[in-house]
Amino acid sequence: MDALNQSPTAFKEETLDPADWSQVQALSRRIVDDAIDYLRDVRERPVWQEMPSEVRQAFDDALPQAPSALEDVYREVTEKVMPYPMGNIHPRFWSWYMGASNFTGALGDFLAAIQGSNLGGGNHAAAAMDQQVVDWCKQMVGLPRSASGTLVSGGSMANIIGLTVARNTMAGVDVREHGVAAMEKPLRYYASDQVHSCHRKALESLGLGNRALRRVATDQAFRIDIAALRSAIAEDRAAGFAPACIIGTAGTVNTGAIDDLNALADLAKEEGIRFHVDGCIGALIAIAPENKALVSGIERADSIALDPHKWLHAPFEVGCALVRDAAEHRGAFAMSQEYLEMTSRGLASANWLHEYGLQTSRGFRALKVWMALKEHGVEKFGRLIDQNLAQAAYLTWLIEADPALELAAPTSINIVCFRFLRDGLSQESLRELNTEIMLRLQEEGIASLSDTTVRGRHCLRVAINNHRTRREDLDLLVRETIRLGNTIVTQTGAGPH
Ligand SMILES: *Cc1c(COP(=O)(O)O)cnc(C)c1O
């Protein structure tokens, strides 16, 4: 029968809520118990393991049409997902750069989903907490309370926000209204040749293009060369470009180098341009009692990107963009919408949080950060950062003491670059040998490292951003690297001829 001719009471209603909450309760308790066991025993499991083909094939299963019991759904997760993680919660995961998560943060994510609030804004507790966590981030890096900020998905988004504010304030035209084509001179941004790839993506997305990002040479310790930067800016001015922003890196992704932030702040001021700091790795060193001097000057930035899912070990995802001038921040993203008018009372009587970034709906990212900070206190997070730096210094010492190993870059903070050496091997053979060591360390479930190339030389890279790592794990890494190196040399017949 035609729907219009039906009585308006003749439709069936259903919901996603269970018919019987008590069943869900029993299963949920088991899930929490299993989760605690999983985390408690993480050290006993391999860092990483390859998925068997039947597991991989399961991810080709068709879109489910009919229901399944939640018990069965959970069993599939325990069989197909939980045993095959990336591994970054493991004490011997040191690949790329990320945090190791924490149980309290996981509870925070769960409760955030239970409350279900949308952090696009509104007058409610989750929104107030979101602003509080942003305030705490300002305090951690020394920005004034009057600064502005927003929690985003991660460091890449946080950098995009800072670079967008820089573009809009330096464009010389109303770039929001007229676009980049209306600008008289092309903008230029400056960063070291060690800058993270997200800045290129950001400038491409902002319509400025990859060439708007000038990579400036670095010194022996991989910090931006200030004299080279100064001449690059002068050269660009003479050639008709508009220098817009210096991007300082506090902790480069290759080696952990920290640019001279005070010198960059001075130069930006002298040139009348913006100073943005990519502090995704190192901004939070500002809370580490023994090492905070390393990031001195960060508090002078116009904008900062930092990453609570790195050194605050929040579960993915959460990044934070901070902008010194709150009006400039809001001016880059806010617009009034007839369906989002503020009211003087009620749910819509607060500042809309979506006016500080690109998202409209936003998750309740603050809770996982807030709960862990409350539980442990910021001082403990600071000590854990110092601990990772001490561990990296220890690993560096082990490497330098062993003739089979060579340090490939100076250790600045918590990233150690090194390689296994064998006399008589070409650079290409050393690359193959070290890559094979890295892969076997992963495949045997011993440790997860990554590799990189610094100054044209391939090396293994250990980024210790992990609250579970112990000194004995680093002893094991050195032992196993040498064991595997020797084994591979014997197996492949590589070696001095
Ligand atoms: C991790 C990182 C980023 C990107 O952050 P995401 O959270 O992965 O988006 C940017 N810059 C540096 C220096 C980083 O280490």
Side-chain angles (χ1 to χ4, degrees):
M1 214 221 287
D2 185 65
L4 283 175
N5 294 330
Q6 273 183 3
S7 150
T9 58
F11 55 90
K12 222 175 108 193
E13 288 175 320
E14 52 181 357
T15 166
L16 295 175
D17 285 337
D20 177 5
W21 281 103
S22 65
Q23 268 184 5
V24 174
Q25 199 162 41
L27 177 63
S28 303
R29 287 193 175 129
R30 209 176 89 217
I31 292 175
V32 173
D33 286 346
D34 290 353
I36 289 170
D37 291 351
Y38 185 85
L39 210 49
R40 185 198 54 209
D41 300 336
V42 61
R43 182 173 277 282
E44 314 311 320
R45 292 193 301 271
V47 181
W48 177 85
Q49 57 181 336
E50 184 65 80
M51 282 176 272
S53 57
E54 65 273 20
V55 168
R56 193 176 288 280
Q57 273 159 26
F59 299 112
D60 287 333
D61 285 357
L63 174 66
Q65 305 288 341
S68 307
L70 182 57
E71 292 241 1
D72 296 336
V73 176
Y74 175 57
R75 185 176 327 108
E76 264 201 79
V77 173
T78 60
E79 289 169 3
K80 294 172 184 158
V81 181
M82 299 309 278
Y84 309 104
M86 181 171 212
N88 51 295
I89 67 167
H90 193 283
R92 289 189 299 277
F93 182 96
W94 305 301
S95 292
W96 307 297
Y97 206 97
M98 56 194 86
S101 197
N102 73 94
F103 185 69
T104 302
L107 290 176
D109 252 357
F110 174 72
L111 292 171
I114 290 295
Q115 205 211 32
S117 294
N118 186 333
L119 274 286
N123 174 19
H124 54 88
M129 184 182 282
D130 185 277
Q131 290 301 279
Q132 182 178 29
V133 168
V134 169
D135 278 342
W136 289 352
C137 289
K138 294 175 205 164
Q139 216 177 309
M140 284 189 257
V141 297
L143 281 193
R145 189 109 201 262
S146 60
S148 177
T150 183
L151 299 180
V152 290
S153 56
S156 305
M157 278 304 306
N159 279 310
I160 286 184
I161 293 200
L163 302 193
T164 304
V165 176
R167 180 196 64 177
N168 294 9
T169 53
M170 298 299 292
V173 294
D174 182 350
V175 76
R176 288 190 62 186
E177 188 63 23
H178 302 290
V180 292
M183 291 179 343
E184 256 174 54
K185 295 176 175 180
L187 298 184
R188 277 276 164 101
Y189 290 60
Y190 305 84
S192 87
D193 56 17
Q194 301 295 305
V195 70
H196 191 274
S197 59
C198 72
H199 295 276
R200 172 178 177 172
K201 243 194 231 179
L203 292 184
E204 289 176 4
S205 305
L206 289 173
L208 300 171
N210 179 35
R211 288 193 191 171
L213 180 58
R214 253 193 101 155
R215 281 83 166 171
V216 178
T218 45
D219 65 14
Q220 281 309 103
F222 297 95
R223 291 171 307 209
I224 193 166
D225 179 332
I226 305 289
L229 170 60
R230 191 186 289 277
S231 14
I233 294 172
E235 196 181 286
D236 279 350
R237 280 202 203 284
F241 292 101
C245 181
I246 297 171
I247 302 166
T249 302
T252 60
V253 69
N254 268 334
T255 70
I258 297 174
D259 288 338
D260 183 340
L261 302 177
N262 276 307
L264 295 182
D266 289 342
L267 184 56
K269 192 167 173 203
E270 206 178 295
E271 296 283 348
I273 64 178
R274 310 274 304 186
F275 176 37
H276 172 82
V277 174
D278 179 348
C280 289
I281 288 178
L284 289 168
I285 294 176
I287 62 171
E290 314 239 316
N291 290 288
K292 59 183 171 205
L294 291 175
V295 292
S296 153
I298 194 168
E299 70 289 347
R300 298 172 62 191
D302 293 306
S303 52
I304 301 173
L306 60 96
D307 232 354
H309 64 207
K310 288 179 176 169
W311 247 331
L312 292 184
H313 301 292
F316 293 119
E317 309 162 333
V318 55
C320 180
L322 298 174
V323 182
R324 174 180 303 279
D325 186 317
E328 285 175 357
H329 184 192
R330 194 166 181 281
F333 299 102
M335 41 191 128
S336 50
Q337 291 298 327
E338 64 284 7
Y339 53 88
L340 290 171
E341 297 263 318
M342 267 176 74
T343 52
S344 63
R345 301 195 323 276
L347 180 55
S349 65
N351 214 1
W352 290 109
L353 300 178
H354 65 81
E355 303 207 307
Y356 296 86
L358 296 167
Q359 289 179 257
T360 306
S361 293
R362 299 173 63 243
F364 187 8
R365 299 190 171 100
L367 187 56
K368 58 191 167 195
V369 179
W370 190 94
M371 283 176 66
L373 278 170
K374 278 271 186 181
E375 181 192 13
H376 298 290
V378 71
E379 288 178 1
K380 178 159 185 184
F381 283 98
R383 290 197 303 275
L384 286 170
I385 291 171
D386 279 337
Q387 176 173 305
N388 283 165
L389 267 66
Q391 288 166 332
Y394 175 69
L395 176 62
T396 303
W397 178 75
L398 290 179
I399 289 164
E400 290 194 304
D402 203 311
L405 304 175
E406 176 190 57
L407 199 66
T411 301
S412 306
I413 46 171
N414 60 333
I415 298 177
V416 182
C417 292
F418 76 104
R419 60 181 184 169
F420 181 83
L421 273 187
R422 181 55 56 109
D423 283 345
L425 290 190
S426 66
Q427 295 299 323
E428 196 40 46
S429 304
L430 282 172
R431 170 188 286 271
E432 282 168 24
L433 174 56
N434 279 278
T435 304
E436 186 61 24
I437 293 172
M438 175 180 76
L439 294 177
R440 292 203 196 178
L441 283 167
Q442 284 171 16
E443 285 166 347
E444 294 184 22
I446 300 166
S448 188
L449 318 182
S450 54
D451 61 349
T452 189
T453 300
V454 286
R455 301 250 193 273
R457 192 173 282 185
H458 175 259
C459 62
L460 302 177
R461 179 179 163 284
V462 182
I464 314 174
N465 191 285
N466 194 318
H467 59 90
R468 298 193 177 95
T469 298
R470 299 177 191 153
R471 199 177 322 185
E472 71 205 49
D473 294 313
L474 301 168
D475 294 331
L476 180 86
L477 170 67
V478 167
R479 255 190 342 263
E480 291 292 289
T481 300
I482 294 171
R483 176 185 68 80
L484 284 167
N486 288 329
T487 306
I488 297 161
V489 167
T490 311
Q491 284 171 348
T492 60
H497 299 289

